[in-house]
Amino acid sequence: MKAEQQSLLYLHIAVFLFGGTALFSKLIGLPALDITVYRTGIAALALFVLLTLQKKQLTLASMKDYGIAILLGCVVGIHWVTYFAGMQMAGVTVGIIAFFTYPVITVFIEPLFNKTVPKVKDMITALMVVIGIVLLIPEVSFGNQITLGIVTGIISAVFFALRNILHKNYFSHYSGPHTMLYQTLVACLMLCLFVEVPPSQVTESDWLLLLLVGMVFTAIPHALFASSLRHLSATTAGLISCLQPLYGSVLAFLLLHERSDILTMIGGLLVISAAIFETWSVSKGRR
């Protein structure tokens, strides 16, 4: 399998698992910051065990790389806190849609790092994604919690776009599990002092959910996502990742009984079409 095709496969698996992550903001009875700390701690431990069993190198090549790892960990930590907070305030469907402004943000930020001009094709695809995401919103409400949740989701999007671009440009020479070990560890250490609910007060059911989200929905998909960035641009990864709102909406319907209307289905179709087009474009080598 060619490197780009393998990267696309990794990316699609990661996006599917990402789609289920939003549900844990509602299923786990903890504040967003606490979920992030426990989630990243579990993910870091799982990645450490994986790399140790595989006898992979755990250290980084230079002090500069350690500095980049710390920066990436701080950025991803803020992204995760605001991600879960946005879901808790605005609901899974609206929260995940607000977060998915990040592909559009990426399209316009990435050229600043690469000193290039955004491609017309990417801008058109991004516009299509924006229309689709707007239509996915089942009901627009300007109540305080909803508005705050949308703003928080957009802030999360900015940090996620920045993380992807920084990783692509300065840290993609490391494997996915290797880089995510440092990012999850730094995020956990950065935020652990602010935990409201200590480990002894976390319920057994919440621990089980935290283990699930930490290993299956964090360590695995983020390692796959990071690996995909070795051969795909952050813009491509962002646009293909727009399948995530669809997965999240379907799972929210099945597990949380959140219903979708005709506009949501039309918006989902637009998002899927944009993701399929981007995947086809990359697989044909037309970027």
Side-chain angles (χ1 to χ4, degrees):
M1 185 180 293
K2 294 181 180 180
E4 279 195 346
Q5 293 175 331
Q6 187 176 42
S7 295
L8 285 170
L9 177 62
Y10 287 165
L11 181 57
H12 280 290
I13 294 173
V15 170
F16 177 76
L17 292 175
F18 283 150
T21 305
L23 302 179
F24 291 91
S25 65
K26 295 293 186 179
L27 296 174
I28 299 175
L30 294 173
L33 188 143
D34 291 26
I35 294 174
T36 302
V37 170
Y38 292 126
R39 173 197 189 191
T40 51
I42 292 168
L45 180 60
L47 290 166
F48 175 79
V49 171
L50 173 65
L51 291 170
T52 301
L53 291 175
Q54 294 179 339
K55 297 182 180 180
K56 300 290 187 179
Q57 183 176 350
L58 296 176
T59 57
L60 301 179
S62 65
M63 291 303 298
K64 177 184 177 182
D65 286 349
Y66 281 104
I68 295 171
I70 292 172
L71 175 61
L72 286 170
C74 293
V75 170
V76 83
I78 297 171
H79 150 62
W80 275 329
V81 171
T82 50
Y83 177 80
F84 281 117
M87 304 291 173
Q88 290 179 339
M89 289 184 284
V92 171
T93 303
V94 175
I96 199 171
I97 290 167
F99 165 67
F100 260 82
T101 55
Y102 93 81
V104 182
I105 294 170
T106 302
V107 166
F108 293 100
I109 292 181
E110 188 173 33
L112 299 178
F113 287 79
N114 299 336
K115 297 180 180 180
T116 59
V117 177
K119 297 178 181 179
V120 175
K121 176 181 73 67
D122 284 339
M123 295 180 69
I124 294 173
T125 308
L127 177 61
M128 184 176 178
V129 167
V130 170
I131 296 171
I133 288 174
V134 170
L135 292 176
L136 275 173
I137 299 175
E139 181 180 359
V140 178
S141 173
F142 294 98
N144 291 335
Q145 281 294 100
I146 300 295
T147 302
L148 187 58
I150 291 172
V151 171
T152 304
I154 294 173
I155 292 173
S156 180
V158 171
F159 279 95
F160 190 60
L162 182 60
R163 175 262 188 185
N164 291 343
I165 294 169
L166 290 172
H167 180 277
K168 172 66 179 178
N169 286 278
Y170 305 110
F171 216 63
S172 60
H173 51 287
Y174 292 103
S175 69
H178 198 176
T179 183
M180 286 313 302
L181 168 64
Y182 280 89
Q183 291 183 43
T184 52
L185 180 61
V186 170
C188 181
L189 294 176
M190 178 183 71
L191 299 170
C192 66
L193 295 177
F194 305 100
V195 168
E196 294 181 28
V197 182
S200 60
Q201 295 181 17
V202 177
T203 65
E204 183 178 339
S205 60
D206 280 344
W207 270 122
L208 291 174
L209 290 172
L210 286 167
L211 286 170
L212 183 63
V213 71
M215 290 188 288
V216 179
F217 290 87
T218 302
I220 293 175
H222 276 279
L224 291 174
F225 192 93
S227 294
S228 73
L229 289 177
R230 301 180 74 177
H231 300 286
L232 302 174
S233 72
T235 297
T236 296
L239 291 170
I240 293 174
S241 294
C242 287
L243 283 169
Q244 186 178 333
L246 179 65
Y247 293 145
S249 298
V250 172
L251 291 171
F253 171 76
L254 294 175
L255 300 177
L256 301 178
H257 308 294
E258 289 189 6
R259 297 186 176 278
S260 303
D261 57 17
I262 187 63
L263 288 180
T264 300
M265 290 185 282
I266 295 173
L269 181 61
L270 287 174
V271 171
I272 291 174
S273 298
I276 291 175
F277 174 75
E278 189 68 17
T279 304
W280 174 83
S281 177
V282 172
S283 65
K284 294 296 183 180
R286 298 188 179 182
R287 287 195 65 78

